[in-house]
Amino acid sequence: MLAVVALAAAVWFGYGWGRALLVDRSAAEARDAALSGAMQAAVNLNSVDANDVDLSIENMRSSITGDALRNDLAATEEDIRARVAETGTSMSAEVLFGTLTELNTDDDLGKALVVLAVRTQTPEYFVTNKVPVLVSLRKDGDVWKAETIEPLASVEMESGPVPGAPAPDPGAQPAPDGAPAPEGSGAPAPEGSGAPAPEGSGAPAPEGSGAPAPEGEAGP
């Protein structure tokens, strides 16, 4: 009888430990995969290589799902290409911090907070901003992708001339022209860059830009 009880106990505890290990490992792997997808999407949507715009656009496209971001990318792709061709501006993003705030493995949905250092650079100047973004995730096949991405308030970390760059024209604007990222990507155009604000944002046009004042506002 004691042998039967001992065997039953061994089977039960073995099953319990095995189940706990498998479930915990599966949940941990899902969390890691979701967070990795969020960070990769945040980086890709805030990076534009002036030397390979096609690859940059493809990287953006590979990290998004759903109509909202796809439509935003389609609407801004030509503007990105034109601005990069005109100014030679590049953007690069690095993850400073990332954490999941929600994860629903039954519906393959999640949310994450990702804090980026986004560097915008022309051949002469650069500015680096700390940009936190909230990423809503959906699993697409085996990959977690961004369904929406919402920027929070950004803070400038550093700016100045690019090391080794030729001396600028004294009358030139000392801030880089910003290459527009897809709407909602979280990458603001640098102050003084002359980059247009998104339509409907209510932001005034830069002084001296020649852009008309919004309807209902008197000019200077």
Side-chain angles (χ1 to χ4, degrees):
M1 180 64 179
L2 290 176
V4 172
V5 171
L7 176 61
V11 170
W12 171 255
F13 284 112
Y15 169 78
W17 278 108
R19 183 175 182 277
L21 288 172
L22 289 174
V23 170
D24 289 348
R25 185 172 66 179
S26 177
E29 288 174 349
R31 288 193 298 269
D32 289 346
L35 180 57
S36 177
M39 292 191 296
Q40 189 64 62
V43 167
N44 286 349
L45 289 169
N46 286 278
S47 298
V48 180
D49 184 353
N51 295 317
D52 198 341
V53 180
D54 288 341
L55 179 60
S56 300
I57 296 294
E58 186 56 36
N59 287 340
M60 293 179 190
R61 191 174 288 117
S62 71
S63 293
I64 62 178
T65 188
D67 292 338
L69 281 184
R70 286 173 180 158
N71 290 341
D72 284 347
L73 180 56
T76 56
E77 179 177 344
E78 290 308 314
D79 192 22
I80 293 170
R81 294 181 184 278
R83 188 62 56 85
V84 171
E86 177 185 353
T87 66
T89 301
S90 290
M91 293 174 60
S92 59
E94 176 186 354
V95 174
L96 300 178
F97 171 79
T99 185
L100 284 179
T101 58
E102 295 180 24
L103 183 63
N104 182 340
T105 54
D106 292 331
D107 296 327
D108 288 336
L109 298 173
K111 292 185 178 180
L113 170 66
V114 181
V115 181
L116 302 169
V118 180
R119 180 184 176 104
T120 305
Q121 179 174 314
T122 70
E124 294 84 19
Y125 295 98
F126 79 93
V127 59
T128 302
N129 290 315
K130 181 184 288 186
V131 183
V133 295
L134 295 175
V135 185
S136 293
L137 299 160
R138 181 181 293 277
K139 194 173 184 181
D140 185 354
D142 294 329
V143 180
W144 290 85
K145 299 183 179 182
E147 191 167 41
T148 64
I149 183 165
E150 177 186 354
L152 305 177
S154 66
V155 177
E156 182 176 316
M157 299 172 66
E158 60 176 336
S159 62
V162 174
D169 180 345
Q173 171 59 259
D177 288 331
E183 296 180 12
S185 68
E191 293 184 8
S193 67
E199 294 185 8
S201 67
E207 293 183 14
S209 67
E215 292 186 10
E217 294 186 13

